[in-house]
Amino acid sequence: WNPNAVAALRANLVSNGVAPHRCEVLEGDNRRTAPVGVADRVLLGLLPDSECSWPAAVAALRPKTGGVMHVHGNVASGEEEAWALRLEVEVAALAAASGRTWTVRVEHMERV
């Protein structure tokens, strides 16, 4: 696991004035540590891609209302739209497989 990433996340939460009770940092493999059905927001800052954690992220979101998944991934130039469509389709399928009737959409993509 990357202790530097965890330290940076904690420092950024403090720098941005996020109250400790508003964000719980769960260290370790999120496929094992993620809670189920309680999150409004899930951060998937795994590179080069976070696809292996999409099922855990979907499961962590609230079943009725869903939430926001911040999905990071390296995508080849010119393939951004195809990647976004695949993300929407696969997350919607994961949600549907667990009985969740969510509307899934990519709201923002950013090149860095």
Side-chain angles (χ1 to χ4, degrees), residues 30-31 33-42 44 53-64 66-67 69 91 94-100 102:
N30 60 31
R31 293 170 294 178
T33 63
V36 175
V38 299
D40 296 311
R41 194 173 290 267
V42 177
L44 293 168
S53 293
W54 295 354
V58 167
L61 293 172
R62 297 182 189 276
K64 292 185 182 188
M69 289 173 52
V91 169
L94 289 166
S98 61
R100 298 167 185 211
W102 298 341

Side-chain angles (χ1 to χ4, degrees), residues 21-89:
H21 73 278
R22 301 273 305 160
C23 183
E24 180 180 2
V25 177
L26 299 172
E27 296 183 44
D29 186 334
N30 60 31
R31 293 170 294 178
R32 293 187 177 98
T33 63
V36 175
V38 299
D40 296 311
R41 194 173 290 267
V42 177
L43 308 178
L44 293 168
L46 304 169
L47 293 174
D49 72 71
S50 59
E51 191 167 347
C52 66
S53 293
W54 295 354
V58 167
L61 293 172
R62 297 182 189 276
K64 292 185 182 188
T65 59
V68 176
M69 289 173 52
H70 296 269
V71 180
H72 296 185
N74 292 343
V75 179
S77 184
E79 296 180 12
E80 297 90 351
E81 286 186 35
W83 181 85
L85 179 59
R86 186 173 70 81
L87 173 63
E88 289 177 342
V89 168

